[in-house]
Amino acid sequence: MLTNIKKITAENTGLTTYTGTNSYIIGNENLIVIDPGPPSDKHLSSIIRYIGKRKVEFIIATHHHSDHIGLLYKLSIETNAPIYIGKNQVSLFLEYEQRLKDKISLFDSIISTNELSMNAIQTPGHASDHYCFQIPGVAMFTGDHIMGWSTTMIRLPDGNMKDYMESLKIIRNLCNEEFFPAHGEKIVDGKKRCEQLINHRNKRSTQIQNTLQLTKLNLEEITKIIYGKINTKLITYAKFTVESSLEEMVANKLIKKEKIRDTYFYSLKES
Ligand SMILES: [Zn+2]
């Protein structure tokens, strides 16, 4: 039997969410919900309407950001379904919603219903507790790790550029399925998308090093040079990812960082 995958997009369109967060409902009669979505009654109603009288076996989430787990507790109450989470998700999920305490159970690397089996793959980077969920041969649910419209944002201290790059390689090497991201459309050639993202990141890193060849610069200045003229709100988000790149390059001793008065400046390490 074909595995049914239903996408319901919440109405939280925005600069970092694109057309909104995608919630996925998988299965025919015994359902799994991935990423219930932001705290919106309208979105909750759409999910419940689609589920109808069918049984939700469990609810899972790719990571703890509020546009993914905002409805986790309410959906669990409404559907009487348990929430399965990874060990490294517990503290972050409870920090967001204490009431989840009595609803959660831990999943292992394989999660199954009597219809299908799914691998939970740890993919830290965008968030430390990020997972991708793979139904072998059918689909890879990539959350915010790999999105359908843009590169993801890596924000310190929970985000980590080194982890992100390693997680991209894990997914590239492991899967041949189509990607179903939490924002944007399905990605048919997942491996190619991984390669593009890895190349993009490496290119940015070279660009930063080239920029620092001439002079020492602070985060603000580097971001403006790298991103050129973009929307001022977008610059704020771009800065988070540039900062993560810079910190990784400092850790790898590719560049150095020094505090001058109250600002950190980055420069190329003298050889
Ligand atoms: Zn996120």
Side-chain angles (χ1 to χ4, degrees):
M1 202 194 295
L2 277 178
T3 304
N4 204 19
I5 298 171
K6 171 73 176 173
K7 177 177 88 174
I8 299 178
T9 305
E11 288 185 328
N12 57 332
T13 52
L15 280 175
T16 59
T17 52
Y18 190 47
T19 50
T21 306
N22 297 329
S23 299
Y24 290 102
I25 304 163
I26 305 142
N28 300 308
E29 287 305 318
N30 302 82
L31 307 176
I32 300 170
V33 180
I34 300 181
D35 286 340
S40 142
D41 287 340
K42 196 173 173 195
H43 189 54
L44 179 65
S45 304
S46 306
I47 293 175
I48 289 185
R49 203 176 316 123
Y50 175 75
I51 290 168
K53 291 193 169 9
R54 293 174 295 173
K55 183 182 180 198
V56 177
E57 291 277 335
F58 50 83
I59 310 167
I60 52 182
T62 54
H63 63 297
H64 71 283
H65 291 164
S66 61
D67 61 317
H68 297 255
I69 66 166
L71 277 181
L72 194 53
Y73 182 76
K74 268 192 177 174
L75 186 65
S76 165
I77 296 287
E78 292 285 336
T79 56
N80 202 22
I83 299 163
Y84 286 2
I85 70 174
K87 210 173 173 182
N88 56 340
Q89 292 184 319
V90 177
S91 59
L92 289 164
F93 280 42
L94 291 183
E95 206 175 285
Y96 179 79
E97 171 66 83
Q98 266 299 322
R99 288 178 300 176
L100 289 170
K101 208 162 104 220
D102 304 323
K103 289 268 162 200
I104 53 178
S105 313
L106 293 184
F107 61 59
D108 290 321
S109 55
I110 298 174
I111 323 169
S112 309
T113 68
N114 58 13
E115 284 184 25
L116 59 89
S117 187
M118 192 180 258
N119 298 321
I121 304 158
Q122 281 194 53
T123 47
H126 168 75
S128 61
D129 65 334
H130 199 289
Y131 280 83
C132 289
F133 298 104
Q134 177 192 35
I135 306 174
V138 177
M140 175 71 91
F141 297 91
T142 55
D144 283 3
H145 178 47
I146 299 165
M147 303 197 290
W149 67 294
S150 161
T151 55
T152 193
M153 184 170 74
I154 316 284
R155 183 178 184 176
L156 296 167
D158 187 58
N160 182 294
M161 188 56 76
K162 183 169 180 279
D163 290 347
Y164 168 65
M165 291 298 273
E166 279 167 17
S167 295
L168 279 177
K169 288 172 191 162
I170 288 172
I171 295 301
R172 177 195 62 189
N173 297 342
L174 199 92
C175 81
N176 282 305
E177 295 82 16
E178 291 180 331
F179 289 1
F180 293 78
H183 302 274
E185 294 304 315
K186 183 171 82 172
I187 300 161
V188 177
D189 193 341
K191 271 194 195 301
K192 191 170 153 200
R193 181 77 177 133
C194 290
E195 285 297 342
Q196 282 171 347
L197 292 171
I198 292 167
N199 291 339
H200 173 76
R201 244 335 110 214
N202 288 334
K203 219 172 93 190
R204 281 270 191 255
S205 169
T206 310
Q207 225 180 334
I208 289 172
Q209 286 183 71
N210 289 342
T211 304
L212 294 177
Q213 210 118 45
L214 303 170
T215 179
K216 62 177 69 161
L217 297 165
N218 64 31
L219 173 63
E220 193 91 28
E221 294 164 335
I222 297 168
T223 309
K224 279 189 179 149
I225 293 169
I226 301 293
Y227 282 84
K229 281 194 182 120
I230 57 168
N231 177 318
T232 45
K233 276 186 190 151
L234 269 180
I235 277 281
T236 309
Y237 297 119
K239 241 166 42 181
F240 292 139
T241 302
V242 172
E243 188 178 21
S244 302
S245 292
L246 288 167
E247 289 305 314
E248 196 214 347
M249 290 163 80
V250 170
N252 288 335
K253 300 195 185 335
L254 291 170
I255 58 172
K256 65 175 183 177
K257 175 183 174 183
E258 61 190 303
K259 199 172 186 179
I260 302 174
R261 282 180 290 279
D262 281 335
T263 310
Y264 282 108
F265 281 83
Y266 300 86
S267 58
L268 269 198
K269 260 191 112 62
E270 301 93 326
S271 45

